[in-house]
Amino acid sequence: MPAPAADDAAALINHGVQLAYQQRFDEALACFDGAIALQPGLIEAFLNRGIALFYLGRVDDAVTSYDHALALEPDWPEALNQRAAALARLQRFEPALESADRAIALGSGSAEVCEAIGLALYRLDRFDQALACYDRALTLEPERVDALRSRGVILDTLGRCDEALAGYDRVLALEPDHAQTQWNRTRVLLRAGDLARGFEAYRRCLRRYGEPSALACPEWQGEPLAGKRLVIFSEHGYGDTLQFVRYAPMAAALGAHVTVLVRPALTRLLRASLPGIEVVDSLPGAAAFDYQVALLCLPALFGTTLNSIPAAIPYLHADQAATRSWTRRLAALPDLMQPGLARPDLTQPVLKVGLVWAGNKERANDAHRSLRLDQFAALARVAGVQFVSLQLGEPAAQAKTPPAGLDLVDWTGELGDYADTAALVSGLDLVISVCTSVAHLAGALGKPVWIPLHYDSCWRWLLGREDSPWYPTARLFRQPAFGAWEPVMAQLAAALSTFASKNVPD
């Protein structure tokens, strides 16, 4: 490709565009910079410079370049579209939405623009408006796969499962091997309560898209297990393991020698809770098994439906000596409270309530499920309650400054693993926890557990229910609308007052 004359701005732009098509963005950028140096008013040079910067990962600089173009030509749809895309990449959604709206007002009629607006609105939790944008994009391009998929995500978020499934089916008709859509479809089936189809779809997705196992033995797919060695591995987090380890004894009952592979923090608790089952946190190189299976594949293999969930509790058990020790400390708690905290009337019995207000911020959708401790201030108005922090991680620091009147003791520094936490939970009267592993732990121990849930809650809590078929002692407190935690806290406070009046400790 011959180099253009250094004093020909238009030729430099054309050469830069050709280089950009070849993904030679550094060289393209040099051409656009050269053109601007010759003629600072060339809006095409600023536009193409922004595109090159975007693909070089210099997205802030790309926005600046688009701003220069728009300063010269404020109503240029192409520059507005590119600016919106760059701002969305930077997660600056409000100005991205402003640019995209301006482009549409100019009659650009682009499905890509509609999709960009939809993404911006989705990130701002403005789901109904985002859905309208994706609908417009699909009116322009009915087979636009990304718009179909994103529309399905929003419908799932809104709890419109039948429509979400129909949308995902359209995606898969166009791209049958679209992995994310297959996973999303699985989640919707489970959330809608179609456990048989949902868990079977999960098995297919894990086999097709999951990370391959390092074990040489075949996957168990329901073959007879009498006299066989089966290893069950936990493929997800602590909460999933605590919820679905209930299936391990069912596999053992088929005559298998069962080994369960879990994270180290769970080994003590599960060894004590699953007699006859080997629980390990690693496998020796010489370990030999006849079959392997992922933990969340077991519900499908055992034909689980809403009516056949194995929900006998407790299926986990805390160490009795440790529980007695915690129970004694909890009984003496009014005399052990931190200096400066308001003390309850020591002539009245005190209900002991465990509290978890936040999950792991690295998990998807954590911003929707987690709260701050001060958002539980309404519970401080309930008389006769002593709160016990079960909160771990960075949010645990909030326990040092609880809301006024909320008596909170924090012994989490003494909790080394889930066996320790289980012993403390067993000494409590009630646990209130957002959707975290502690909620699963309390439910598996048979402890009353109340779970404040965000509007787009995890599939396992189904839709619209106040109870859980997985945990008979659980009670669910759902947001009536996105971000609406105040009504949830008011319901929790009223329920806690009733619970305290009916469950007077000895």
Side-chain angles (χ1 to χ4, degrees):
M1 183 187 305
D7 60 350
D8 188 337
L12 283 169
I13 292 175
N14 290 334
H15 188 60
V17 169
Q18 293 178 49
L19 290 168
Y21 277 127
Q22 299 172 37
Q23 299 187 17
R24 294 160 63 181
F25 296 112
D26 282 313
E27 297 170 75
L29 180 62
C31 289
F32 302 137
D33 285 340
I36 290 169
L38 291 171
Q39 295 187 35
L42 280 176
I43 58 174
E44 294 87 350
F46 283 110
L47 173 68
N48 286 291
R49 182 178 185 272
I51 294 171
L53 288 164
F54 182 89
Y55 284 106
L56 287 169
R58 295 168 56 184
V59 185
D60 281 305
D61 293 334
V63 172
T64 300
S65 194
Y66 298 140
D67 286 343
H68 283 304
L70 290 166
L72 296 166
E73 181 54 65
D75 292 336
W76 192 13
E78 181 63 18
L80 288 166
N81 292 340
Q82 296 291 348
R83 183 177 185 270
L87 289 166
R89 175 70 63 87
L90 294 169
Q91 298 190 7
R92 293 166 56 187
F93 298 114
E94 289 288 3
L97 182 60
E98 179 185 347
S99 285
D101 280 343
R102 285 176 59 195
I104 284 185
L106 292 167
S108 64
S110 165
E112 184 177 358
V113 172
C114 295
E115 198 170 347
I117 297 173
L119 174 62
L121 289 164
Y122 174 76
R123 297 292 189 185
L124 293 168
D125 292 348
R126 292 157 61 178
F127 301 112
D128 288 322
Q129 293 169 286
L131 186 63
C133 288
Y134 285 115
D135 285 341
R136 180 173 177 181
L138 291 166
T139 298
L140 296 167
E141 294 184 29
E143 295 186 353
R144 191 175 181 87
V145 168
D146 285 344
L148 283 167
R149 184 189 62 80
S150 297
R151 183 177 184 275
V153 170
I154 295 173
L155 289 166
D156 177 17
T157 299
L158 294 171
R160 293 161 62 177
C161 292
D162 289 342
E163 295 173 81
L165 282 172
Y168 289 145
D169 287 343
R170 286 180 63 192
V171 173
L172 296 173
L174 297 167
E175 293 188 16
D177 201 34
H178 198 285
Q180 189 57 57
T181 299
Q182 294 281 11
W183 283 114
N184 289 349
R185 185 176 183 277
T186 296
R187 168 193 153 85
V188 174
L189 287 168
L190 293 170
R191 192 180 187 204
D194 191 346
L195 302 191
R197 292 170 65 203
F199 281 123
E200 186 55 43
Y202 176 86
R203 285 185 68 218
R204 290 196 303 270
C205 283
L206 191 66
R207 189 180 304 121
R208 192 167 187 177
Y209 308 114
E211 294 184 9
S213 170
L215 297 172
C217 58
E219 176 190 1
W220 181 52
Q221 300 187 59
E223 298 88 344
L225 285 179
K228 303 296 184 180
R229 293 181 58 86
L230 172 69
V231 59
I232 301 170
F233 60 90
S234 175
E235 72 272 41
H236 293 300
Y238 292 113
D240 286 312
T241 304
L242 291 167
Q243 180 177 358
F244 291 100
V245 76
R246 69 182 76 199
Y247 285 91
M250 297 170 66
L254 297 178
H257 179 281
V258 174
T259 298
V260 179
L261 177 63
V262 297
R263 297 184 188 183
L266 289 169
T267 53
R268 274 207 310 140
L269 172 64
L270 297 187
R271 284 171 184 164
S273 301
L274 303 174
I277 292 175
E278 183 181 24
V279 178
V280 298
D281 57 32
S282 63
L283 294 174
F289 299 95
D290 298 295
Y291 296 107
Q292 61 175 307
V293 67
L295 185 61
L296 268 72
C297 289
L298 293 175
L301 290 166
F302 284 101
T304 302
T305 68
L306 276 180
N307 296 322
S308 66
I309 290 173
I313 57 169
Y315 59 87
L316 297 183
H317 305 278
D319 179 80
Q320 293 185 5
T323 298
R324 286 194 295 270
S325 176
W326 280 116
T327 300
R328 287 192 295 269
R329 293 175 67 178
L330 288 163
L333 196 53
D335 293 329
L336 299 175
M337 288 173 58
Q338 301 170 20
L341 291 181
R343 293 172 177 269
D345 180 355
L346 300 186
T347 64
Q348 299 295 322
V350 177
L351 202 69
K352 309 302 192 304
V353 178
L355 194 59
V356 181
W357 51 90
N360 181 352
K361 66 180 181 181
E362 302 300 324
R363 297 297 296 272
N365 216 28
D366 182 67
H368 286 179
R369 70 164 174 169
S370 288
L371 296 104
R372 302 180 312 276
L373 177 57
D374 60 33
Q375 291 177 272
F376 286 83
L379 304 190
R381 297 193 290 270
V382 181
V385 178
Q386 169 66 61
F387 292 96
V388 179
S389 175
L390 301 172
Q391 179 68 54
L392 299 177
E394 185 179 324
Q398 299 171 34
K400 298 177 181 178
T401 55
L406 194 144
D407 297 323
L408 181 70
V409 65
D410 183 9
W411 287 326
T412 54
E414 300 178 43
L415 304 179
D417 63 7
Y418 279 86
D420 291 335
T421 304
L424 175 53
V425 167
S426 294
L428 300 171
D429 300 297
L430 169 69
V431 171
I432 300 175
S433 171
V434 295
C435 180
T436 68
S437 61
V438 174
H440 293 284
L441 177 63
L445 292 167
K447 184 63 59 176
V449 55
W450 295 354
I451 308 170
L453 290 176
H454 49 296
Y455 191 86
D456 53 333
S457 57
C458 179
W459 62 264
R460 73 193 76 237
W461 307 121
L462 304 172
L463 288 172
R465 296 181 64 143
E466 295 182 357
D467 67 330
S468 168
W470 296 98
Y471 300 113
T473 58
R475 182 175 176 185
L476 310 179
F477 294 77
R478 296 178 180 272
Q479 282 186 336
F482 278 98
W485 283 118
E486 287 188 11
V488 174
M489 291 301 143
Q491 292 171 11
L492 277 170
L496 184 58
S497 180
T498 301
F499 186 87
S501 66
K502 294 180 178 180
N503 294 270
V504 180
D506 294 333

